[in-house]
């Protein structure tokens, strides 16, 4: 029999792990709210790590984050991939409708990511630490979606933190695809035949 990954099972397990980690942080970290604990969990699993929410200060809290990162990290990225597959179907429909190929799907996804990031920042206007102009919002969308997460623009309200978590789930994988395309292009650019002169192999 052919085996397949159960998407429902993955989502349920990740949701339970995230909720357990959130509850554990609330119980072990003084003054940490439920929203901040959930936000910290997602930001850690996506490796963005803005640094805007206080990191675990207790031994128990640090142990929770270590176990969660090592054990749940890979499973969480499967959820990110599943969200990306949904995006690929939706954005792919648009790309194919205008005659674009597979690379075109990625381009459409990035355009949607950037526009979505700008619109999200505009919608979260009460979050004063998020960008207030489109250029900075594009910068934030790229830095966040690629998980660089400098921490110079961060959500400050509960609604903003939850919205950014959702944005990350829907955009991270497409940015990884862009970096993969860039890597492949660079590999092509720097690949040389095996039969060239040995003295030139270092060039």
């Amino acid at each position: 029999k052919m085996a397949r990954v159960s998407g429902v099972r993955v989502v349920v397990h990740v949701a339970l792990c995230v909720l357990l980690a959130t509850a554990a942080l609330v119980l072990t970290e003084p003054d940490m709210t439920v929203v901040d604990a959930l936000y910290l969990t997602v930001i850690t699993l996506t490796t963005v790590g803005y640094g805007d929410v206080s990191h675990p200060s207790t031994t128990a809290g640090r142990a929770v984050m270590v176990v969660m990162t090592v054990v749940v990290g890979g499973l969480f990225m499967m959820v990110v991939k599943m969200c990306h597959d949904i995006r690929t179907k939706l954005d792919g429909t648009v790309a194919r409708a205008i005659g674009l190929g597979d690379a075109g799907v990625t381009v459409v996804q990035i355009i949607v990511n950037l526009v979505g990031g700008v619109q999200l920042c505009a919608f979260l206007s009460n979050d004063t630490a998020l960008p207030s102009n489109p250029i900075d919002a594009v910068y934030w969308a790229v830095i966040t979606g690629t998980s660089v997460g400098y921490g110079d623009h961060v959500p400050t309200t509960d609604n903003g933190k939850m919205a950014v978590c959702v944005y990350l789930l829907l955009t991270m994988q497409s940015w990884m695809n862009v970096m993969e395309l860039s890597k492949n292009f660079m590999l092509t650019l720097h690949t040389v035949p095996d039969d060239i002169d040995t003295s030139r192999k270092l060039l």
Side-chain angles (χ1 to χ4, degrees), residues 2 12 15 17 24 26 30 40 45-46 51 55 68 79 94 100 102 113 131 149 165 172 179 187 192-193 195-196 198:
M2 293 290 291
V12 169
C17 290
V26 171
L40 179 61
L45 286 173
T46 55
H55 56 270
M68 183 199 63
V79 174
V94 176
L100 299 176
D102 291 340
N113 288 356
C165 288
M172 281 195 72
M179 290 187 279
L187 283 174
V192 295
D195 59 351
I196 62 172
T198 304

Side-chain angles (χ1 to χ4, degrees), residues 127-202:
D127 272 293
T128 55
L130 285 175
S132 57
N133 67 76
I135 300 299
D136 286 343
V138 167
Y139 160 79
W140 171 82
V142 175
I143 294 301
T144 296
T146 54
S147 81
V148 174
Y150 286 133
D152 48 347
H153 294 296
V154 295
T156 54
T157 65
D158 288 350
N159 288 338
K161 290 171 183 177
M162 294 300 95
V164 169
C165 288
V166 174
Y167 179 78
L168 279 169
L169 286 173
L170 295 175
T171 61
M172 281 195 72
Q173 184 64 46
S174 51
W175 285 113
M176 294 178 193
N177 289 355
V178 170
M179 290 187 279
E180 181 71 16
L181 288 173
S182 176
K183 183 202 77 174
N184 291 339
F185 173 75
M186 290 300 174
L187 283 174
T188 301
L189 192 64
H190 295 86
T191 298
V192 295
D194 285 336
D195 59 351
I196 62 172
D197 191 295
T198 304
S199 64
R200 297 172 56 197
K201 284 189 177 182
L202 295 178

Side-chain angles (χ1 to χ4, degrees), residues 87-112:
R87 282 280 313 277
T88 299
K89 288 181 181 178
L90 296 174
D91 298 336
T93 301
V94 176
R96 283 184 284 274
I98 58 178
L100 299 176
D102 291 340
V105 175
T106 300
V107 171
V108 170
Q109 288 178 334
I110 294 309
I111 292 172
V112 172

Side-chain angles (χ1 to χ4, degrees), residues 40-101:
L40 179 61
T41 299
V42 174
I43 290 298
T44 300
L45 286 173
T46 55
T47 71
V48 174
Y50 284 135
D52 52 329
V53 174
S54 296
H55 56 270
S57 59
T58 66
T59 301
R62 290 170 180 168
V64 168
M65 297 307 284
V66 167
V67 171
M68 183 199 63
T69 301
V70 174
V71 176
V72 187
L75 198 60
F76 187 83
M77 294 313 294
M78 291 177 67
V79 174
V80 173
K81 178 64 167 61
M82 288 166 60
C83 291
H84 173 69
D85 290 342
I86 295 172
R87 282 280 313 277
T88 299
K89 288 181 181 178
L90 296 174
D91 298 336
T93 301
V94 176
R96 283 184 284 274
I98 58 178
L100 299 176

